Amino acid sequence: MSESYELKAERRERVGKGSARALRREHKIPAVIYGDKKDPLSITLPYKEVHLKATSPGFLTTIATINVDGEKIQVLPKDFQVDVVKDFTMHVDFLRVGKNTQVTVAVPVHFINEEQSPGLHPTETVDEDGETIVPGVLNVVRHEVEVVCAATAIPDYIEVDLAGAEMGASLHISGVKLPKGVEPSVTDRDFTIATIAAADSLASQSEEEEVTETEVIEQNAETVEGEESATEEAGTDRPDEE
């Protein structure tokens, strides 16, 4: 689990959009702490520290301590809002963390022993028929896996071992050794995390998608042209656009 950190905060008596905008002009971020069967607590945090944390990896999976006027509260960031135009953090929601708090979080996937995968790194360059063996490609289906675990035991990442993975292999969640107390949130199927695919098959799939998209565009263009011709022949006018 990533190293915890502490933030100093102030209680926020006024709430609402007007108050929030005023705080942001003062280089502060409005936030809320909720959960653990307690009333929500509105707070104000320093902008620079929070923005740096919010835009760093692991923000939503790292427990923090918020010092609210001397009261230290353990929390886990659950959500934050970013202005997509100006790219600054606007608001953060924190979940209180108790000793029995269970959370659902998305954890990054790390792949190990890639060099020990025959599908990705074949030991031979030519097969029995004299054909060149082309290494496969790791096709990542899930870059993150959503898990359920104790808030105090969130793993930094999940390791997927590629040792022995042949060409065409599918790596499922059932083959991944999860830390103790960590379970996938999806339990009704053995979902795929990655596959070892032939490079030419991926290229063919990409080409097929491009051809299909081109056909759709051409068909739409023909349809529009047909509609325009029909409109002209009928002698009707289109409504003016606003």
Side-chain angles (χ1 to χ4, degrees):
M1 188 172 181
S2 300
E3 186 177 350
S4 183
Y5 57 91
E6 182 172 321
L7 296 170
K8 288 188 177 181
E10 300 174 352
R11 291 180 183 272
R12 180 161 54 101
E13 301 299 333
R14 295 179 57 197
V15 295
K17 293 183 179 180
S19 175
R21 284 195 293 265
L23 288 172
R24 295 184 191 109
R25 287 195 293 268
E26 298 174 5
H27 302 288
K28 296 179 181 180
I29 294 179
V32 175
I33 301 175
Y34 65 94
D36 201 25
K37 298 180 180 179
K38 296 180 181 179
D39 293 334
L41 175 61
S42 298
I43 59 174
T44 300
L45 293 164
Y47 174 81
K48 184 177 181 179
E49 291 180 64
V50 177
H51 182 70
L52 288 174
K53 293 292 183 183
T55 53
S56 299
F59 177 64
L60 296 177
T61 57
T62 303
I63 288 180
T65 299
I66 297 185
N67 187 335
V68 186
D69 301 330
E71 179 188 0
K72 295 189 177 184
I73 306 171
Q74 270 200 321
V75 299
L76 180 69
K78 288 299 293 180
D79 194 16
F80 63 98
Q81 299 173 5
V82 177
D83 187 298
V84 295
V85 177
K86 299 180 180 179
D87 192 31
F88 62 81
T89 305
M90 299 176 63
H91 187 276
V92 185
D93 289 335
F94 294 98
L95 174 69
R96 286 188 182 89
V97 172
K99 60 180 181 179
N100 298 319
T101 303
Q102 292 281 314
V103 294
T104 301
V105 293
V107 178
V109 175
H110 286 191
F111 296 93
I112 61 173
N113 296 326
E114 180 178 336
E115 68 284 352
Q116 297 178 32
S117 165
L120 298 174
H121 296 275
T123 55
E124 302 291 339
T125 57
V126 179
D127 62 16
E128 296 178 353
D129 299 324
E131 298 291 335
T132 301
I133 299 176
V134 179
V137 177
L138 180 63
N139 177 35
V140 180
V141 179
R142 292 177 182 248
H143 292 275
E144 294 180 326
V145 171
E146 193 175 73
V147 300
V148 179
C149 61
T152 54
I154 301 173
D156 291 330
Y157 54 84
I158 291 173
E159 284 188 345
V160 176
D161 194 350
L162 298 175
E166 301 278 357
M167 180 74 73
S170 293
L171 306 170
H172 300 279
I173 187 62
S174 60
V176 178
K177 186 177 181 181
L178 296 174
K180 184 178 180 180
V182 177
E183 300 291 340
S185 63
V186 177
T187 58
D188 61 345
R189 64 186 184 278
D190 188 14
F191 57 83
T192 302
I193 297 176
T195 62
I196 308 296
D200 55 353
S201 68
L202 289 178
S204 299
Q205 181 180 352
S206 177
E207 289 175 2
E208 289 176 3
E209 291 174 351
E210 290 179 1
V211 170
T212 302
E213 184 177 355
T214 301
E215 291 175 348
V216 170
I217 293 172
E218 291 176 350
Q219 289 173 2
N220 289 342
E222 291 174 358
T223 302
V224 171
E225 289 176 0
E227 291 176 351
E228 289 178 346
S229 299
T231 301
E232 291 173 357
E233 291 175 2
T236 56
D237 295 328
R238 291 186 178 182
D240 295 334
E241 295 182 357
E242 294 182 359

